Amino acid sequence: MPVKAEVTAAGSGGAAVLWPLPAAMHPAVEQMPAEHESSITAVARHLAERESDPFQRIKALHDYVIRRMRYDEEALALGRWPAQDAQAVFASLRALCTGYAQLLTALGRSVGEEIVTLTGQVRTLSTFPGTALHAWNAARIQGRWYLIDAAWNGGSRRDGRFVGGYGTDYLFTPAPVFAFEHLPADPAWHLLGEPLSERDFVEQPLLPARFAGEGLKLEAVRHTSIGVQLQLANPQDRFVLARPVAPTVGGCTSPTGTVLEIRCDLSSPGRHRLQLFSSDRREGTYLWVGQIDIALPHQKSEGARNAPDTQVGEIE
């Protein structure tokens, strides 16, 4: 079920947008005749003429980029970067992240939509705790800016290979959610009241858009005498599991309800990593929805061990 997200944006005016949108390709893209794909301008005009809603029009352009492009695994493996301008990737049908973003910008420009290409750093499960260079977009709709990552909506890397797909987690994503994984080179494009520093960006939990899209919110991380406690808002009443990553030895409770207090008993002081998984059924498939690094301090005395739990972090 989509969560109605008031997207934090630059500018004023405009209405809230449901996020995430249903993961269904726009019908104008699915039904596009081949003869209308002769050029970037022809594609953009075809789609714009068939969609009057401003959000759905941008979605149609986004969906077309995903349908036409295939991620260029060969270029990535060889470390050779072919031209990533819009015309080049439109002709080759292959692109890296920059090509996805440039093509969406060009499609928008062809029909008077204000879409820009942004660059910066991103964090993923494969780069964590480090970062990688990336490109994405922002689109101005009804006076407000909305964030888009067509490359990430078009698939993901699994077991070293790119697997194509379609999603909407990174289409009109609320800025605070986007900021868990994206750090723009120009701080103004955080679209946040207070931009994140690079240090804050890399030290925060790694929470993909799916985490918020399922209604989850990490409210607090607290140290306990033997581990850590996570407090999560869970309005959709999903089933959430936390699991320590080896070599940590320990286990976590699996509470249910709309407010979750997950307690993890960890093996020793030092750095630990917890992964989070979510499902709509207790006995079902659980998908990865986050990763948190925990630093447990050394206990100094018996008095400290017996002290009440201490809150060490609030997640806004």
Side-chain angles (χ1 to χ4, degrees):
M1 175 184 293
V3 177
K4 190 167 187 177
E6 288 281 356
V7 179
T8 303
S12 59
V17 59
L18 286 177
W19 175 86
L21 293 172
M25 189 75 69
H26 194 287
V29 175
E30 291 190 311
Q31 300 163 14
M32 177 177 288
E35 59 267 26
H36 286 196
E37 296 186 70
S38 58
S39 68
I40 291 174
T41 299
V43 168
R45 288 177 177 173
H46 176 90
L47 296 175
E49 289 168 0
R50 286 158 178 79
E51 181 54 75
S52 59
D53 179 85
F55 289 96
Q56 287 295 319
R57 190 160 57 244
I58 297 296
K59 180 183 182 297
L61 301 178
H62 158 275
D63 291 0
Y64 179 79
V65 172
I66 292 176
R67 195 196 74 167
R68 186 173 182 90
M69 290 295 100
R70 180 165 182 81
Y71 194 80
D72 197 341
E73 287 188 277
E74 182 179 352
L76 185 66
L78 295 175
R80 299 175 182 171
W81 315 122
Q84 294 295 298
D85 62 276
Q87 291 291 349
V89 299
F90 183 81
S92 70
L93 308 182
R94 292 188 177 191
L96 298 167
C97 59
T98 301
Y100 279 78
Q102 295 282 31
L103 180 55
L104 182 53
T105 295
L107 286 165
R109 186 184 304 118
S110 296
V111 288
E113 298 290 353
E114 193 173 357
I115 303 177
V116 297
T117 297
L118 307 178
T119 60
Q121 302 174 58
V122 290
R123 302 188 307 157
T124 67
L125 191 57
S126 61
T127 67
F128 190 85
T131 64
L133 297 177
H134 192 56
W136 59 93
N137 295 97
R140 190 175 177 89
I141 306 172
Q142 295 182 338
R144 302 182 68 176
W145 286 101
Y146 295 83
L147 296 163
I148 302 170
D149 192 332
W152 280 16
N153 277 339
S156 60
R157 294 185 65 79
R158 300 177 192 170
D159 300 323
R161 295 183 61 254
F162 183 82
V163 179
Y166 175 79
T168 57
D169 284 351
Y170 299 96
L171 177 64
F172 312 141
T173 314
V177 175
F178 210 76
F180 277 108
E181 299 173 282
H182 297 72
L183 182 73
D186 182 347
W189 287 108
H190 280 101
L191 304 187
L192 300 171
E194 184 69 29
L196 283 176
S197 68
E198 185 172 349
R199 179 176 177 178
D200 288 341
F201 175 67
V202 299
E203 290 184 351
Q204 67 182 339
L206 176 58
L207 301 176
R210 181 190 299 126
F211 182 86
E214 293 180 353
L216 298 169
K217 182 180 180 182
L218 182 60
E219 300 279 7
V221 179
R222 299 182 176 94
H223 289 172
T224 70
S225 58
I226 56 174
V228 69
Q229 176 180 300
L230 310 179
Q231 182 175 320
L232 279 72
N234 181 31
Q236 296 184 26
D237 206 14
R238 294 185 64 82
F239 296 95
V240 179
L241 300 177
R243 292 290 183 265
V245 176
T248 294
V249 177
C252 302
T253 60
S254 302
T256 58
T258 56
V259 177
L260 302 179
E261 292 189 353
I262 301 173
R263 287 179 174 266
C264 297
D265 297 341
L266 306 176
S267 55
S268 63
R271 297 195 68 84
H272 302 273
R273 182 165 293 171
L274 298 175
Q275 291 195 342
L276 303 177
F277 303 87
S278 170
S279 176
D280 58 358
R281 295 180 296 166
R282 183 185 293 277
E283 302 294 334
T285 300
Y286 283 73
L287 298 179
W288 178 82
V289 292
Q291 186 162 281
I292 303 172
D293 274 4
I294 305 293
L296 290 184
H298 290 270
Q299 295 168 345
K300 297 181 179 180
S301 67
E302 187 65 27
R305 285 196 294 273
N306 293 331
D309 295 352
T310 301
Q311 182 168 307
V312 297
E314 290 285 354
I315 309 300
E316 295 297 332

